[in-house]
Amino acid sequence: MDSKSIPKTYQEAVKLDKSILQGAGHGRTVLRLVLAGNANLDFLAPAVRVGLADEGFEVVVRSSAYGNWISETFEEPQAASDDLWVVWLSGMGASRGMTERPDVDVASVAAAAQRLVDRGVKVVVIHPEPLLSEDDPFSPFVAWRRGISDRLSELLPPAVVQLSVEHLVRRLGSESWVATRYWEQAKAPCHPDAATAVGLELAGVVARMLRPAVRAVAVDLDDTMWGGLVGEVGPEGLDLDPDSTGRPFIELQRLLLDLMARGIPVAVVSKNDDEVARRPFTQRPEMLLSLDSFVRFDASWRPKYEAITALAQQLNIGVDAICFLDDSAKERDEARRMVPGLIVPELPDAPAKRLEHLIRSRLFMTPVVSEEDRLRVEFFKRAAIPAPADLDEYLSSLGMTLDTSRVDASNMDRTLSLLHKTNQFNLTLWRPSPSELAEFVADTSNYAYTYRLKDSVGDAGIIAVLLAKPMANQVSVAGWVLSCRVFNRGVEWAIAEHLAAWVVAQGSAYITAPYCVGPRNALVADVLANIGLQEGETKDDVKWFTADRLTPPKHHIKIVER
């Protein structure tokens, strides 16, 4: 979102929200979101809709009956139609406006959240906010509220995303946050302008739950990763003292290290002599990152945008999923112009202000970290090793297996994530809401499978999803996505073979695959042709491929049914 269009007040959010509602229905994924809890959360709705509209979602918001949200989770037909619940266990609500400190039944809150999760609903729980009474650090309200948060952390299901708003209270200040008249008149937990800040934060959390903004980072070295120019002062002259002016550079390295642990690979893109650029990583013990940390180390004198383009090709991802960090405004501007779509945040000139700037951008927010996320960086490092000249022999030697599993509660989140974030190999560009996907999967006559790739080196996790629907005497593919990590290994042929066997078992003989032409999924057409589908009519940017049977090429993958 452009910083100029970010609403700062509730009235600004309402104005922007009206314009968004007037333009609803333009191809955005529709999310049905419920605001619930022990307070009135209506003031959050405009900012939530504004923030998510900027992320490509159309949001239908409803509020659960005040104080009755736990009972509503027993109403299965209603809850099953929702995509996401936001539950704010407000400190103001729990304390009846700071008049009492009851023993809150957190176990019932956790049980209600579990009921929603069991139905495929995504849940965000907001912990109690700091209260005005806590301006006295010795107030009994401090321990009381923290006790509630501790029990929530202990009892809530792992699938629930837990959010604290303490950072927003600090940022706005208690004077701007607290407005007791709104509690007295409307049972709102904070000032409407503060609720707008919470709504925008929620929008960022929900968007990142479904679609990560950044999938790789390209980072400069001189005056970005360390202070000084290594080519001029040598490793020994670099500013890296974590207890002095070198702290901001070590701070950035810590951020990058944490991103790697969450599945975001990092590459070096630097104008430097390669040997000189590598020396600080082996000669300065203060460095948190090592040469082994990176999926690519590109230190040369060629333009940085060329190195970034090469990184995108190596990782098989679009440049619009790469974030470029560089202290030089000139390098940032050149990269933006030469690599359209590249994520290039402005970095403050003062190194000490950079981390705060990056955190508030929400670019790296990761509310959910999956098993596949943790496997991704190591997989990319292995993929960077050149394969032997005889690729067929190499693939055969890997001992690859493809575990196929029906989509169910255990892999639903990963399935939804792949459908939303995959761009290059995405047949229909269908980005379903959680409830839409759950409805498709609930029909057991549909083909709904995930695929997990393993080889002699390691486990790549779930890397593909294929959804298809039998219709009369034919089967129509509703969605097919494949992670860029496993291109050119024959995975697509193995998946097509599995689908073909299922089609035969259903007694069907005709297959249709609607290929929705997008800006980055051109390679899909070649795959469809190679598995025996013929291109037919084109209508509204959809090319219809059909075949009496699939004939995928040979591959070196053993298919294992789970």
Side-chain angles (χ1 to χ4, degrees):
M1 182 181 294
D2 189 306
S3 59
K4 295 180 180 179
S5 65
I6 297 175
K8 301 294 192 303
T9 67
Y10 178 70
Q11 291 302 324
E12 290 177 0
V14 169
K15 184 177 179 180
L16 285 169
D17 187 31
K18 287 181 179 178
S19 66
I20 288 168
L21 290 174
Q22 291 171 356
H26 291 292
R28 296 188 179 104
T29 296
V30 177
L31 287 178
R32 290 184 285 273
L33 185 148
V34 180
L35 296 174
N38 58 1
N40 176 9
L41 306 186
D42 290 345
F43 288 116
L44 272 65
V48 169
R49 281 192 291 261
V50 169
L52 280 169
D54 191 63
E55 297 280 356
F57 295 93
E58 180 181 329
V59 185
V60 178
V61 178
R62 72 175 179 87
S63 295
S64 175
Y66 176 72
N68 196 44
W69 74 272
I70 291 180
S71 298
E72 189 177 329
T73 63
F74 285 98
E75 301 172 14
E76 187 166 346
Q78 177 63 64
S81 67
D82 300 322
D83 294 311
L84 188 140
W85 275 52
V86 174
V87 178
W88 191 346
L89 196 61
S90 164
M92 284 293 285
S95 67
R96 294 187 66 181
M98 297 184 293
T99 63
E100 57 184 51
R101 290 187 294 275
D103 185 13
V104 176
D105 187 0
V106 174
S108 293
V109 173
Q114 186 66 64
R115 284 192 290 274
L116 293 171
V117 169
D118 289 344
R119 292 172 192 147
V121 179
K122 293 187 177 295
V123 181
V124 176
V125 171
I126 303 178
H127 284 231
E129 74 284 0
L131 301 172
L132 180 60
S133 297
E134 296 182 45
D135 278 359
D136 172 5
F138 304 103
S139 168
F141 278 101
V142 176
W144 172 78
R145 180 181 62 84
R146 289 179 178 171
I148 297 173
S149 285
D150 289 344
R151 294 199 299 278
L152 284 171
S153 298
E154 178 184 355
L155 297 179
L156 283 173
V160 172
V161 172
Q162 301 184 47
L163 177 65
S164 169
V165 295
E166 289 191 46
H167 64 296
L168 296 177
V169 178
R170 289 194 303 269
R171 186 183 306 171
L172 297 173
S174 61
E175 296 84 0
S176 298
W177 179 274
V178 175
T180 53
R181 70 181 184 277
Y182 285 100
W183 175 258
E184 295 164 358
Q185 297 171 8
K187 294 298 178 283
C190 59
H191 190 284
D193 292 347
T196 296
V198 175
L200 291 174
E201 190 77 352
L202 270 174
V205 169
V206 173
R208 297 292 83 80
M209 287 169 67
L210 296 173
R211 299 175 187 167
V214 173
R215 297 178 63 192
V217 175
V219 60
D220 176 46
L221 294 177
D222 290 336
D223 285 326
T224 302
M225 192 93 75
W226 51 60
L229 308 180
V230 67
E232 294 183 3
V233 300
E236 62 280 358
L238 297 177
D239 193 358
L240 282 167
D241 183 355
D243 296 318
S244 185
T245 53
R247 184 196 59 78
F249 304 105
I250 300 298
E251 192 176 51
L252 179 62
Q253 290 189 40
R254 171 57 64 186
L255 172 65
L256 296 175
L257 201 60
D258 289 343
L259 292 179
M260 294 174 196
R262 286 178 268 172
I264 299 176
V266 177
V268 165
V269 174
S270 172
K271 284 186 177 177
N272 253 310
D273 177 80
D274 182 79
E275 188 276 330
V276 172
R278 292 173 183 267
R279 286 171 59 197
F281 293 93
T282 58
Q283 297 180 20
R284 289 296 298 264
E286 301 96 330
M287 294 286 291
L288 297 182
L289 298 171
S290 67
L291 292 172
D292 292 338
S293 301
F294 306 108
V295 295
R296 185 183 183 90
F297 195 96
D298 201 318
S300 66
W301 297 105
R302 65 172 173 166
K304 291 183 180 180
Y305 65 83
E306 292 183 2
I308 293 169
T309 302
L311 173 65
Q313 293 171 346
Q314 174 186 321
L315 301 181
N316 276 323
I317 62 176
V319 292
D320 59 349
I322 297 177
C323 179
F324 175 48
L325 302 178
D326 197 303
D327 70 292
S328 168
K330 176 182 177 298
E331 295 288 357
R332 295 196 299 266
D333 181 65
E334 182 179 70
R336 287 192 194 97
R337 288 187 292 105
M338 301 305 295
V339 189
L342 182 69
I343 302 170
V344 189
E346 286 297 325
L347 289 185
D349 291 336
K353 295 183 179 180
R354 291 175 186 169
L355 184 68
E356 178 185 12
H357 177 79
L358 290 173
I359 289 174
R360 291 193 179 183
S361 73
R362 299 194 184 96
L363 285 171
F364 306 121
M365 181 184 283
T366 50
V368 179
V369 180
S370 68
E371 179 185 5
E372 284 74 19
D373 293 330
R374 296 185 178 95
L375 294 169
R376 185 177 297 116
V377 172
E378 290 306 314
F379 187 92
F380 277 134
K381 289 179 183 178
R382 289 193 283 113
I385 301 173
D390 190 335
L391 180 60
D392 190 68
E393 180 180 341
Y394 169 69
L395 293 176
S396 177
S397 71
L398 287 175
M400 293 182 286
T401 62
L402 191 68
D403 291 356
T404 67
S405 302
R406 275 200 65 86
V407 178
D408 58 20
S410 69
N411 54 37
M412 187 76 76
D413 283 348
R414 175 58 178 169
T415 299
L416 192 69
S417 176
L418 277 171
L419 288 167
H420 273 267
K421 72 183 183 182
T422 305
N423 294 308
Q424 289 181 282
F425 192 103
N426 190 325
L427 175 66
T428 63
L429 301 180
W430 184 37
R431 321 264 190 198
S433 68
S435 60
E436 288 173 326
L437 179 61
E439 182 180 0
F440 186 95
V441 171
D443 186 344
T444 56
S445 67
N446 291 336
Y447 180 97
Y449 277 84
T450 65
Y451 309 87
R452 184 184 193 112
L453 182 66
K454 302 175 183 176
D455 60 31
S456 59
V457 182
D459 184 345
I462 296 175
I463 43 74
V465 174
L466 199 153
L467 309 171
K469 191 174 188 66
M471 301 167 62
N473 66 335
Q474 69 180 41
V475 170
S476 180
V477 179
W480 186 8
V481 294
L482 176 67
S483 171
C484 59
R485 290 183 285 152
V486 294
F487 286 175
N488 303 317
R489 287 183 164 222
V491 175
E492 53 269 58
W493 317 140
I495 292 173
E497 180 183 315
H498 187 265
L499 173 64
W502 182 86
V503 170
V504 170
Q506 306 309 302
S508 301
Y510 199 66
I511 300 170
T512 63
Y515 165 44
C516 296
V517 181
R520 286 167 287 173
N521 65 345
L523 63 86
V524 173
D526 289 339
V527 170
L528 297 179
N530 282 327
I531 63 175
L533 289 159
Q534 292 83 44
E535 183 177 342
E537 66 173 350
T538 298
K539 184 177 181 180
D540 298 329
D541 288 331
V542 177
K543 295 182 179 181
W544 288 88
F545 282 75
T546 61
D548 291 332
R549 65 187 181 93
L550 297 180
T551 55
K554 293 181 179 180
H555 55 82
H556 299 284
I557 301 173
K558 179 182 179 181
I559 301 172
V560 179
E561 195 82 36
R562 296 296 182 187

